[in-house]
Amino acid sequence: MSAFLIELKNADLTLGAGSAAVHVLKNMSLSIEAGHSVGILGPSGSGKSTLLMVLAGLERLDRGEVTIDGTALGPLSEDALAAFRGENIGIVFQSFHLIANMTALENAAIPLELAGRRDAFDVARAALTSVGLGERLEHYPGQLSGGEQQRVAIARALAPRPALLIADEPTGNLDGETGRQIADLLFAAQKESGTTLVLVTHDPALAARCDRQVHVRSGEIADDGLKGSDDGHPVQGGRAAE
Ligand code: ADP
Ligand code: MG
């Protein structure tokens, strides 16, 4: 079994058809060790969100392979992929993606209910309490601040205890201080449960908090700031010797 939780090999993907076709991922390879945090940076339109969708099994490759925790996603049927995602991958979006007519508790319980967990509401309640929303369980998204809505989304993503947490500009819609609190929460949860965290951000300060920064440009890895010692373990705060 590989030490890598994520192995992306020669990933190639074109989206859209005809004159609207865009070659979004160009022979991209990326391996990420279990338990690490990686910040993905790059200009708008460079393929960052698409890369995350591929890692989450929400977008299929034209060529190449994505393997998560030893499972190659390509050969999986849609149903198998959905089940795998539910068990192994939590996703947080910039715009929260909560269901408006469901309470915070109901929102956080959705993935657990889909997985047939009888304790869905107990686990969701505990997850919401751990992100500081124990007093907001019965609130609807429209009754919550942006930061609180993102906390619900994080609780929903983390409640099934996924091995991989993917976040696409999780602080992009929040003010600076709220964004920092949300980042604190993501990193605390990651450290506590050993989750692998891959996040896209435009904020260099947020990316700098990750073990590693990967720069994407025009569908390619432009710079991979892999910090590592000889034994392959990460060293905080320094680039590997070249
Ligand atoms: P980023 O997140 O880095 O801003 P995206 O991954 O969202 O970039 O998009 C990368 C490129 O792919 C952009 O040029 C975008 O317009 C294009 N693109 C994304 N989705 C589609 C699609 N469904 N059809 C055609 N082009 C797309
Ligand atoms: Mg994007």
Side-chain angles (χ1 to χ4, degrees), residues 15-16 20 22 24 43-50:
L15 291 173
V22 179
V24 187
S44 184
S46 57
K48 306 181 299 295
S49 293
T50 305

Side-chain angles (χ1 to χ4, degrees), residues 105-189:
L105 182 60
E106 288 166 344
N107 267 285
I110 292 169
L112 300 160
E113 288 197 290
L114 288 175
R117 294 269 298 262
R118 300 181 70 178
D119 58 353
F121 281 85
D122 291 335
V123 175
R125 194 176 294 112
L128 285 165
T129 302
S130 77
V131 299
L133 288 182
E135 309 295 315
R136 296 285 186 277
L137 301 177
E138 303 302 329
H139 283 55
Y140 290 89
Q143 301 171 319
L144 298 169
S145 70
E148 288 171 335
Q149 290 181 62
Q150 194 61 305
R151 283 171 194 265
V152 176
I154 290 171
R156 177 181 60 186
L158 289 172
R161 299 203 145 263
L164 173 59
L165 179 61
I166 284 174
D168 196 351
E169 305 195 37
T171 63
N173 277 4
L174 305 172
D175 66 75
E177 179 51 30
T178 306
R180 265 188 296 283
Q181 290 168 7
I182 289 297
D184 288 346
L185 205 59
L186 284 174
F187 287 108

